[in-house]
Amino acid sequence: GQQVMQIPQYQHVQEGEDFTTYCNSSTTLSNIQWYKQRPGGHPVFLIQLVKSGEVKKQKRLTFQFGEAKKNSSLHITATQTTDVGTYFCAGRRTGGGNKLTFGTGTQLKVEL
Amino acid sequence: DADVTQTPRNRITKTGKRIMLECSQTKGHDRMYWYRQDPGLGLRLIYYSFDVKDINKGEISDGYSVSRQAQAKFSLSLESAIPNQTALYFCATSDLAGSGSYNEQFFGPGTRLTVL
């Protein structure tokens, strides 16, 4: 079945440093979504990417969808303590119906 | 999201007991999902439903069953709980935006289940 892996599993950064998490799918995706889960909370939708090579920005967050639509990345510039949490990518397989497969997640900790 | 509620929020039970987790939503969405979250494994889909009369297995449905009683309610049952079903369970809902794209999923607050 479809697998979606994320690296790294954990990342500790100093406040102000940049952070990137990478998402890789074993199959081609029709679209990819990103979610953030704060400690003790539930996943909250951040963004959706649909087109090959698409890049979207939300303030300090930059999201990319690979040309082959099998990988994606989330980059945070100048991290803040409010960025703490676990970031998940989630993709729908091309021709695979409506199921969303979540990645394994990257847990980000930001130290002052 | 306050529009998606789950009960109970925490539950401790013993091996072999039957457990039901309930999910209700006021978003008017047709699609509902049950996931379990385990450290390092992300969110894994257990069952999903696109309509009141529609039930579909996800990637880890063994040992679970569901009931879609109404558009707003989707229940998850563990007929005979076992310790490796100890996890954080999330219910989610979504709507269909249109051809070629899909709306995001809205998650409930989660139910932490411990099976002793």
Side-chain angles (χ1 to χ4, degrees):
Chain A
Q2 178 188 0
Q3 292 186 340
V4 181
M5 303 299 294
Q6 279 183 256
I7 55 171
Q9 186 174 0
Y10 302 99
Q11 184 77 59
H12 289 203
V13 299
Q14 295 288 325
E15 188 176 41
E17 293 181 338
D18 292 355
F19 159 77
T20 304
T21 173
Y22 299 92
C23 175
N24 294 287
S25 171
S26 59
T27 59
T28 302
L29 302 172
S30 60
N31 61 63
I32 194 158
Q33 298 178 353
W34 284 90
Y35 291 78
K36 177 183 178 181
Q37 182 180 22
R38 295 183 184 275
H42 58 273
V44 175
F45 175 81
L46 293 176
I47 206 162
Q48 175 170 283
L49 304 170
V50 178
K51 300 177 182 177
S52 171
E54 188 171 15
V55 177
K56 287 188 175 181
K57 293 189 176 184
Q58 288 181 347
K59 297 182 180 179
R60 294 178 294 104
L61 279 61
T62 301
F63 303 84
Q64 291 188 311
F65 200 8
E67 294 290 342
K69 301 186 77 174
K70 295 182 71 174
N71 57 74
S72 181
S73 65
L74 159 59
H75 179 80
I76 302 178
T77 302
T79 56
Q80 300 175 358
T81 55
T82 53
D83 296 324
V84 166
T86 301
Y87 293 85
F88 293 98
C89 62
R92 281 190 176 83
R93 183 165 56 93
T94 301
N98 298 302
K99 290 186 295 183
L100 196 63
T101 300
F102 278 79
T104 47
T106 295
Q107 184 178 349
L108 173 64
K109 292 190 176 181
V110 180
E111 300 171 353
L112 292 173
Chain B
D1 194 309
D3 298 322
V4 184
T5 57
Q6 292 183 234
T7 56
R9 294 293 310 279
N10 289 281
R11 182 72 184 268
I12 300 174
T13 191
K14 294 182 179 180
T15 297
K17 294 291 187 181
R18 184 178 188 275
I19 295 297
M20 179 180 284
L21 308 183
E22 301 194 18
C23 177
S24 294
Q25 53 111 350
T26 59
K27 300 187 78 66
H29 290 166
D30 287 328
R31 302 179 172 205
M32 298 187 74
Y33 313 81
W34 275 105
Y35 294 91
R36 65 175 279 176
Q37 183 175 23
D38 300 275
L41 297 178
L43 292 152
R44 293 182 292 167
L45 184 63
I46 306 172
Y47 271 96
Y48 61 104
S49 169
F50 286 167
D51 200 317
V52 173
K53 297 182 179 180
D54 177 70
I55 299 291
N56 304 281
K57 292 183 177 180
E59 59 183 304
I60 54 163
S61 58
D62 287 350
Y64 301 95
S65 62
V66 291
S67 174
R68 185 79 184 267
Q69 303 95 318
Q71 186 205 38
K73 296 184 182 296
F74 194 34
S75 300
L76 175 71
S77 293
L78 288 67
E79 296 302 324
S80 180
I82 56 177
N84 75 2
Q85 290 178 314
T86 293
L88 183 57
Y89 290 84
F90 285 105
C91 172
T93 74
S94 73
D95 202 356
L96 179 61
S99 61
S101 66
Y102 298 87
N103 272 344
E104 67 267 33
Q105 293 190 7
F106 294 86
F107 285 79
T111 294
R112 187 165 296 280
L113 176 66
T114 302
V115 183
L116 302 176

